[in-house]
Each structure stands twice: as structure tokens, then as C-alpha cells.
């Protein structure tokens, strides 16, 4: 009865997944030259300068001490290196789910992590510092009654707990990234943070208000490569690390990235200074393409599936109607970010399929949007005068032809403003895909903030870009309304 409709919907679904497939490869940072026939995927959190970070003024390439060491080892083992960026607390789960082959992110091999992954020998040792902008905090005892920030899932959490056991009324606050800790200090939400010395150097050099001191009695934290349980790469990595220690290559890389800067600290800048991030503006703008691809594919999926669900909801078949209502109830009744994390993190666990961030985001937003779109379309269909249905049936018009040629066009005209509002909402909410590492506008703005140590300017820039995109959709919606109103 719906042969033509089925063909059109099938073609639309094929278009959706072909578009999704075309953009998936962009999620990895491939090696500059395909020197070898094999590839290793390295997981990292590129906000931990100088271990791994992005110099956004020069491009979108991840650089740093860990990256140099990883490339050296991979090359010696006969592999090309691909780098996958994500939040630090998601690295071990990604390794456990076999999304990456190994992790290098200044990670310390503690007992908890060793239960889930294997570690190589230590390739670098560092000390833990208290970083603060309060001149009165010069020793551990001065932290009494203060708030200390630590990175979620890091070895610094344990150091902070040791301090809390010794000093009264110390509260420990956790954030996903080290740049977030520094921002909280500068915003005076935290009094101090526990940060590794090699990482703290960058912040101390670029922020004249910050000072630091070594935590007394803190054991030197060693960084090691995390690998999958039982991986045959562990022994190979150990062999290469030992060779690099023996021939001095590790020391050379450490000197390159960890040696303190000799220049004077940066002078204080004005509260708002967009000139600081001007070289990084092109980097943020590149995220528009990723966001647009994501939004377009999600809208197509949401509209197609939403139309099907709407037809199910007005169907006389109870099973279809109940199924569509249950679907809508689930996706409207749970948080969007929860749906995203379930699809992204649970898919590998349940199916073994390594779903990419872009595809996970498209499925989440497409499926979520479909629930809302189905209600909008259902309301539009019910809003069409029942007399037109009766007249169509009296003339012998088939149900499929009636819906396709008479009812749906009128319903679409009536619900166009509501549909455009849903698409605008989807465009704005697309920013949450940054939490799974997709380098959209929001993720790039956060990276620029981590690179420049200024957050207001890149976030406002991202806000302006989203606003302009929404305004463009608004104008498009009004043009479509005028076009469809010509026959009135």
C-alpha cells in the first residue's frame, strides 16, 4: 500500500548512513605519511601540555612528549600511528573496549588501573605540585579549610586525599581536564590544585598569578604505557623503552618538552582580550563542517524515523501504536547525554562493535529527535480537517495516496514552524557531542581554551558561530513558510 513511500524512505535511510560513513574516518588523526602497512591506535587526552596537546594557532595536530615517544616506538615496531583524543577518564574504558590499542597520557600505573589493563615499564617520572594563585598558600598546612581541585580519574586524586587526611576541612573537587582546574583557580572557585610538575610548567610560565610548591613526601609518579590485558605489545613496548633509556633518546625528548622556559613570564593581559585567540580562530571555524554534517544527518534520520512513528501512532494496529508510544516515552523521558553515553560506551560492551563518536552522536540525536518529530507530525495530521479524509475515501482514493498527496502536505505546512524549532534545538544541543571527543565547534573552543589558558574568548566565539547558524535556520524556515503559503 505504501510502495512508493517505502522506496523513498529506504533511499533516505541509505543516504543518511552513506553520509555517516563518509565522515567517520575524520575522527582519527592519521600519521602524516603511511610509512608502514600496519597501524596502531593511541588513545590520549590532548589537554595535558606538554605531554599531549594541540597548538591551535598552528593547526589541529596533537603534539607533545608522549606523542614523540609513541611515534618513535610505533615506527621502530613497524606501525603507523593514529591518535584518538578523548577525556582522560574515558581512556581506560576505551582501552578495555578495544577502541584503542594503547594509551599514553601521562598515566600512572596504579593498582586500580592494573586490574583492567596492563602497563609497560615506566618511561618518565615526575613530582606532584600544589598550584595556586593565593600568595598565602605556601605549604600544605595553609590549605586548611580550602578547596583543592584534581583531575577525575588521575593519580592526583590520591595525593589530594592524603592531604585531606593530614589537614582539617580540606574539600576535594574533581574536573575532567587539567585546564578546567586552572580555570577554576583563576575564577577563585578553587584555592589550589594538584598538578604534575611537567604539566604545571606550562601554566606557571603563561600565568603570572600562579605559583607552586612540591608536595612533601609525595612519591615520584611514573608515567607508563597502558595496554590491553594480555596484549603481546607490552613486551615489545618494554623493549623499546629500555632501548630509548639506554641510548639517551628518552632524555632528549624530556629535555625538549619539560625543560623550563628561560623567558620571562607573560605580562598580565586585560580581562577580555580576543587578540590572544585570533591565531586560533581558523581552528575553531573548521569545526563548523563537522557540526553541519552531524546536524544534517541527524535531522534526516530524525525526520524519516519521526514520520514513520507518526504513522504508527495513528494506525489502527495496536502493536504499532503501542510500540511508537513506548519509543517516544523512553526517548523523551531520559536525558539526552545519558542516551549518548549509553550508545557510545555500551555498544562495544554488548556487541563488540567499535562505534565511532560521529556515528554514536548521529544515532543518539536522530533517534531522540524522532520522538519529538513524531509528536509534531501526529499533531499536524490530526489537525487536518477530517472531512478531507472522508471525501478521499468516498472518491476511492487509497489510504497511502491520501496520506502522501492530501493529508501530509497540509500537515507539513501547518507544523513547519514547530519542525524548524526542533531542528534549531538539535543544532544547539549538538554541542554535547564534545564529551565523546568529536571535534565540533564546542570541542575546538574548549581545546583553544586549554591551549591559550583563556576561556571566555573562545567560548564566546563558539556562541557567536552557533547563533549565526541558528539565525540561518530561522531565515530558511521563514522562506519555506512563505513559499508554502503562496497557494493560500
Amino acid at each position: 500500500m505504501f510502495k512508493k513511500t517505502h522506496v523513498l524512505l529506504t533511499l533516505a535511510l541509505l543516504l543518511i548512513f552513506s553520509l555517516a560513513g563518509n565522515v567517520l574516518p575524520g575522527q582519527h588523526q592519521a600519521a602524516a605519511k603511511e610509512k608502514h602497512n600496519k597501524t596502531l591506535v593511541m588513545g590520549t587526552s590532548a589537554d595535558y601540555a606538554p605531554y599531549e596537546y594541540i597548538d591551535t594557532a598552528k593547526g589541529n595536530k596533537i603534539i607533545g612528549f608522549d606523542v614523540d615517544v609513541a611515534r618513535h616506538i610505533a615506527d621502530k615496531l613497524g606501525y603507523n600511528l593514529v591518535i584518538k583524543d578523548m577525556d582522560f577518564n574515558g581512556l581506560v574504558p576505551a582501552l578495555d573496549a578495544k577502541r584503542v590499542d594503547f594509551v599514553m597520557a601521562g598515566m600512572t600505573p596504579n593498582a586500580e588501573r592494573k586490574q583492567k589493563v596492563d602497563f609497560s615499564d615506566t618511561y618518565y617520572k615526575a613530582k606532584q605540585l600544589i598550584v595556586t594563585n593565593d600568595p598565602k598558600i605556601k605549604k600544605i598546612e595553609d590549605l586548611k579549610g580550602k578547596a583543592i581541585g584534581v583531575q577525575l580519574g588521575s593519580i592526583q586524586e590520591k595525593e589530594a586525599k592524603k592531604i585531606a587526611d593530614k589537614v582539617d576541612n580540606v574539600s576535594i573537587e574533581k574536573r575532567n581536564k587539567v585546564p578546567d582546574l586552572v580555570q577554576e583557580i583563576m575564577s577563585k572557585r578553587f584555592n589550589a590544585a594538584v598538578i604534575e610538575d611537567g604539566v604545571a610548567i606550562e601554566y606557571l610560565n603563561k600565568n603570572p598569578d600562579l605559583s607552586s610548591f612540591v608536595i612533601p613526601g609525595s612519591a615520584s609518579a611514573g608515567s607508563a604505557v597502558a595496554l590491553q590485558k594480555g596484549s603481546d605489545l607490552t613486551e615489545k613496548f618494554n623493549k623499546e623503552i629500555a632501548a630509548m633509556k639506554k641510548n639517551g633518546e628518552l632524555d632528549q625528548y624530556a629535555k625538549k618538552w619539560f625543560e623550563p622556559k628561560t623567558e620571562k613570564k607573560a605580562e598580565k593581559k586585560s580581562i577580555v582580550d580576543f587578540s590572544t585567540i585570533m591565531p586560533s580562530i581558523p581552528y575553531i571555524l573548521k569545526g563548523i563542517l563537522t557540526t553541519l554534517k552531524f546536524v544534517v544527518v541527524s535531522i534526516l534520520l530524525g525526520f524519516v524515523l519521526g514520520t514513520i512513528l507518526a504513522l504508527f501512532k495513528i494506525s489502527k494496529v495496536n502493536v504499532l501504536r503501542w510500540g511508537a508510544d513506548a519509543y517516544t516515552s523512553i526517548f523523551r523521558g531520559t536525558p539526552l547525554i545519558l542516551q549518548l553515553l549509553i550508545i557510545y560506551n555500551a555498544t562495544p560492551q554488548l556487541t563488540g562493535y567499535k562505534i565511532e563518536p560521529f556515528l554514536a552522536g548521529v544515532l543518539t540525536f536522530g533517534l531522540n529527535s524522532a520522538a519529538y518529530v513524531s509528536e509534531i507530525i501526529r499533531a499536524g495530521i490530526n489537525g487536518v480537517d477530517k472531512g478531507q479524509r472522508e471525501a478521499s475515501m468516498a472518491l476511492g482514493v487509497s489510504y497511502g495516496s491520501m496520506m502522501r498527496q492530501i493529508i501530509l502536505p497540509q500537515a507539513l505546512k501547518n507544523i513547519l514552524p514547530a519542525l524548524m524549532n526542533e531542528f534549531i534545538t538539535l543544532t544547539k544541543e549538538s554541542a554535547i557531542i564534545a564529551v565523546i571527543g568529536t571535534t565540533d565547534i564546542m570541542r575546538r573552543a574548549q581545546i583553544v581554551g586549554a591551549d591559550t589558558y583563556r576561556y571566555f574568548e573562545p567560548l564566546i566565539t563558539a556562541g557567536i558561530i552557533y547563533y549565526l547558524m541558528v539565525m540561518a535556520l530561522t531565515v530558511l524556515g521563514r522562506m519555506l513558510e512563505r513559499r508554502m503559503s503562496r497557494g493560500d
Side-chain angles (χ1 to χ4, degrees):
M1 186 165 54
F2 293 97
K3 286 185 178 180
K4 292 183 178 179
T5 305
H6 286 169
V7 171
L8 290 173
L9 292 177
T10 301
L11 290 175
L13 288 171
L14 288 174
L15 173 62
I16 289 168
F17 290 110
S18 65
L19 284 172
N22 287 335
V23 296
L24 290 180
Q27 298 307 312
H28 287 173
Q29 179 185 330
K33 295 181 180 179
E34 294 298 325
K35 183 178 179 182
H36 306 285
N37 295 324
K38 300 180 292 183
T39 299
L40 282 179
V41 180
M42 166 183 160
T44 193
S45 182
D47 51 31
Y48 204 54
Y51 282 91
E52 45 271 326
Y53 67 104
I54 299 173
D55 187 346
T56 56
K58 297 180 180 178
N60 61 354
K61 187 177 181 181
I62 299 175
I63 58 176
F65 173 68
D66 280 344
V67 176
D68 281 358
V69 174
R71 288 197 187 282
H72 181 98
I73 294 175
D75 184 60
K76 289 291 185 180
L77 295 178
Y79 290 93
N80 296 314
L81 184 68
V82 171
I83 303 174
K84 195 169 186 179
D85 182 27
M86 61 189 72
D87 281 350
F88 184 82
N89 59 318
L91 291 173
V92 171
L95 190 60
D96 189 41
K98 298 184 179 180
R99 278 206 188 93
V100 297
D101 297 307
F102 69 98
V103 165
M104 287 185 72
M107 185 173 284
T108 301
N110 58 25
E112 183 181 355
R113 291 173 183 153
K114 286 181 178 179
Q115 292 178 1
K116 297 181 179 180
V117 298
D118 288 339
F119 280 95
S120 71
D121 295 334
T122 300
Y123 60 87
Y124 182 76
K125 288 189 176 181
K127 295 181 180 179
Q128 305 302 325
L129 303 182
I130 291 293
V131 176
T132 180
N133 64 347
D134 186 345
K136 296 180 180 179
I137 299 178
K138 298 180 179 179
K139 56 185 184 297
I140 294 297
E141 289 73 21
D142 296 333
L143 293 171
K144 181 178 180 180
K146 307 295 184 182
I148 304 177
V150 294
Q151 185 179 25
L152 182 64
S154 69
I155 195 68
Q156 285 76 30
E157 280 190 60
K158 292 188 175 181
E159 290 296 334
K161 289 177 181 177
K162 291 178 183 177
I163 294 173
D165 291 338
K166 298 177 182 177
V167 182
D168 294 335
N169 299 324
V170 171
S171 62
I172 301 173
E173 300 290 341
K174 302 173 185 179
R175 295 294 184 269
N176 281 338
K177 302 176 182 294
V178 173
D180 296 341
L181 301 179
V182 178
Q183 175 63 14
E184 297 287 41
I185 292 174
M186 303 305 290
S187 301
K188 301 188 184 301
R189 294 190 186 95
F190 295 171
N191 302 103
V194 183
I195 303 176
E196 192 173 295
D197 59 354
V199 176
I201 287 173
E202 295 290 323
Y203 295 93
L204 294 169
N205 282 331
K206 294 186 178 183
N207 290 274
D209 292 331
L210 294 178
S211 61
S212 68
F213 61 87
V214 177
I215 299 176
S218 63
S220 295
S223 297
V225 183
L227 302 108
Q228 296 168 9
K229 272 288 183 183
S231 173
D232 58 358
L233 289 172
T234 304
E235 186 177 344
K236 296 177 182 179
F237 268 69
N238 285 337
K239 189 174 181 179
E240 293 301 328
I241 289 171
M244 292 178 72
K245 288 179 178 178
K246 186 176 181 179
N247 61 28
E249 287 172 319
L250 268 176
D251 290 336
Q252 292 176 16
Y253 286 131
K255 184 177 181 181
K256 172 184 175 181
W257 292 105
F258 295 114
E259 192 171 82
K261 304 291 189 300
T262 55
E263 66 266 20
K264 295 181 180 179
K265 287 185 177 181
E267 297 180 359
K268 288 187 178 180
K269 298 182 181 294
S270 58
I271 295 176
V272 178
D273 184 6
F274 279 89
S275 65
T276 306
I277 68 161
M278 285 305 294
S280 301
I281 293 295
Y283 176 78
I284 298 177
L285 293 176
K286 288 180 181 178
I288 295 176
L289 182 60
T290 300
T291 298
L292 285 176
K293 287 179 179 178
F294 171 81
V295 170
V296 169
V297 178
S298 298
I299 285 175
L300 285 173
L301 177 59
F303 182 74
V304 171
L305 185 55
T307 302
I308 296 172
L309 288 171
L311 294 176
F312 283 179
K313 288 178 179 181
I314 63 173
S315 171
K316 294 181 180 180
V317 181
N318 290 335
V319 174
L320 296 179
R321 192 169 61 253
W322 294 338
D325 287 340
Y327 176 98
T328 301
S329 176
I330 291 171
F331 279 91
R332 284 173 41 171
T334 55
L336 182 59
I337 191 169
L338 174 65
Q339 297 165 17
L340 176 63
L341 293 177
I342 286 176
I343 290 177
Y344 182 67
N345 291 323
T347 300
Q349 177 183 335
L350 298 176
T351 68
Y353 175 69
K354 302 176 185 178
I355 189 168
E356 295 295 333
F358 185 88
L359 181 57
V362 164
L363 288 176
T364 301
F365 278 82
L367 295 174
N368 180 275
S369 180
Y372 292 90
V373 169
S374 67
E375 284 294 286
I376 294 172
I377 295 177
R378 182 187 64 81
I381 292 173
N382 289 337
V384 176
D385 188 356
K386 292 182 179 180
Q388 298 197 37
R389 300 186 192 182
E390 295 172 354
S392 299
M393 293 173 65
L395 292 172
V397 178
S398 67
Y399 183 80
S401 297
M402 176 187 70
M403 292 299 298
R404 187 174 61 254
Q405 299 176 7
I406 300 173
I407 305 300
L408 284 177
Q410 294 183 68
L412 184 61
K413 176 182 174 181
N414 295 333
I415 64 175
L416 185 59
L419 278 178
M420 292 306 300
N421 186 62
E422 168 61 20
F423 297 154
I424 286 171
T425 300
L426 189 150
T427 301
K428 293 185 296 181
E429 290 183 343
S430 69
I432 72 168
I433 61 172
V435 303
I436 58 173
T438 302
T439 51
D440 66 332
I441 298 168
M442 180 58 70
R443 176 73 172 179
R444 288 172 180 265
Q446 292 172 337
I447 290 172
V448 170
D451 181 41
T452 60
Y453 308 101
R454 298 183 71 90
Y455 297 86
F456 178 79
E457 294 88 346
L459 291 177
I460 287 297
T461 301
I464 292 172
I465 294 172
Y466 280 112
Y467 178 78
L468 293 175
M469 292 173 65
V470 167
M471 288 301 100
L473 273 175
T474 302
V475 171
L476 177 61
R478 290 174 180 172
M479 290 173 61
L480 289 174
E481 285 184 53
R482 288 196 296 268
R483 176 75 175 176
M484 297 181 72
S485 298
R486 287 182 181 179
D488 291 348

